């Protein structure tokens, strides 16, 4: 009947609202913990928090190498229980190749079969995969944020809601680090120039 259908819809809406409120609470706590850190510890904390929120086997944050845009280096890899060693990898033949074409990747299952050249996916028996591109404020590519699991994940609604919060934090920290590195490099060059100028003034007159 119409009344029963309306009641079912109301229950579904109330359940969705309750789920969303729980999700928002989880994300808020995670963001509060991550935002207190910077640098390497920031990325480790983000990986742990996102893995815990999603229940995924791995979360990976990687940046495109400035000297070779065909390769990426991870900044943090692991889950809420333990971290793995960082590594460098070729983009070709991996889901990251699609990400760099500015296409988000969402695979609920069999991702390793779709990318047979990606040995990391195969070695870790990855089934489901979520990846988004990380951009700076000028929309230039910084890297990627990835979450993957060793079992199928049929419903990716929860991850799709959570990812924008964490990707925005990763983008801000990656851009901050790049500005910091550029600033330190510029300061080092200024100090070197001053040292050269002082040394030149101290040289004896050869006339």
């Amino acid at each position: 009947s119409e009344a029963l259908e309306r009641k079912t819809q109301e229950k579904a809406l109330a359940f969705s609202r309750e789920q969303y409120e729980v999700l928002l609470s989880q994300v808020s706590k995670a963001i509060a913990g991550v935002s207190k850190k910077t640098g390497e510890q920031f990325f480790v904390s983000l990986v742990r928090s996102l893995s815990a929120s999603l229940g995924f086997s791995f979360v990976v944050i990687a940046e495109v190498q400035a000297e070779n845009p065909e390769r990426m280096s991870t900044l943090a890899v692991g889950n809420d229980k333990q971290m793995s060693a960082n590594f460098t990898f070729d983009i070709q033949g991996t889901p990251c190749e699609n990400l760099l074409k500015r296409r988000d990747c969402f695979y609920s299952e069999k991702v390793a079969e779709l990318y047979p050249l990606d040995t990391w996916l195969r070695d870790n028996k990855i089934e489901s995969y979520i990846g988004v591109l990380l951009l700076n404020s000028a929309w230039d590519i910084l890297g990627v944020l990835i979450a993957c699991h060793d079992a199928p994940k049929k419903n990716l609604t929860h991850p799709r809601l959570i990812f924008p919060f964490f990707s925005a934090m990763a983008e801000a920290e990656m851009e901050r680090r790049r500005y910091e590195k550029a600033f330190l490099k510029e300061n080092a060059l200024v100090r070197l120039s001053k040292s050269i100028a002082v040394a030149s003034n101290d040289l004896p007159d050869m006339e």
Side-chain angles (χ1 to χ4, degrees):
S1 69
E2 185 178 335
L4 180 60
E5 183 178 349
R6 186 169 62 251
K7 186 174 290 186
T8 301
Q9 290 176 345
E10 288 173 354
K11 283 185 178 180
L13 182 61
F15 181 69
S16 298
R17 187 180 296 114
E18 184 179 339
Q19 278 190 316
Y20 182 77
E21 288 174 355
V22 170
L23 172 63
L24 189 60
S25 175
Q26 289 176 343
V27 171
S28 298
K29 289 177 182 177
I31 289 174
V34 173
S35 61
K36 294 176 183 177
K37 299 176 175 64
T38 59
E40 181 181 347
Q41 287 305 309
F42 171 90
F43 296 116
V44 169
S45 180
L46 190 147
V47 162
R48 290 184 182 278
S49 296
L50 182 53
S51 172
S53 296
L54 296 178
F56 274 41
S57 306
F58 288 97
V59 171
V60 180
I61 304 172
E63 65 178 345
V64 177
Q65 291 187 348
E67 65 278 9
N68 185 357
E70 297 300 316
R71 288 177 67 79
M72 281 190 174
S73 298
T74 63
L75 300 174
V77 184
N79 53 46
D80 56 323
K81 295 179 177 60
Q82 65 179 27
M83 301 301 295
S84 303
N86 282 316
F87 59 92
T88 299
F89 62 96
D90 291 319
I91 294 168
Q92 187 174 6
T94 72
C96 292
E97 189 173 16
N98 279 337
L99 283 172
L100 293 188
K101 294 174 183 175
R102 299 180 184 258
R103 302 171 185 164
D104 290 348
C105 293
F106 293 87
Y107 299 100
S108 60
E109 60 182 352
K110 298 181 180 179
V111 66
E113 294 181 21
L114 295 172
Y115 295 92
L117 295 179
D118 193 327
T119 56
W120 188 86
L121 293 178
R122 186 183 66 236
D123 292 346
N124 289 285
K125 299 179 173 58
I126 300 302
E127 279 281 334
S128 47
Y129 180 106
I130 301 166
V132 298
L133 199 58
L134 301 176
L135 306 170
N136 66 12
S137 53
W139 294 90
D140 299 319
I141 295 172
L142 294 169
V144 295
L145 175 63
I146 299 163
C148 40
H149 194 54
D150 57 5
K153 289 278 188 178
K154 295 296 185 182
N155 188 351
L156 296 178
T157 302
H158 183 182
R160 283 176 182 270
L161 287 171
I162 282 183
F163 247 68
F165 296 102
F166 286 88
S167 62
M169 289 193 294
E171 287 169 337
E173 179 61 15
M174 289 173 78
E175 187 165 20
R176 187 199 68 77
R177 285 173 77 246
R178 291 199 175 186
Y179 278 129
E180 183 178 64
K181 285 181 180 179
F183 176 76
L184 293 174
K185 183 178 180 180
E186 184 177 344
N187 273 5
L189 290 174
V190 169
R191 288 196 299 271
L192 178 60
S193 298
K194 287 181 178 178
S195 297
I196 292 172
V198 171
S200 299
N201 289 333
D202 289 343
L203 289 174
D205 193 345
M206 300 303 290
E207 293 182 2

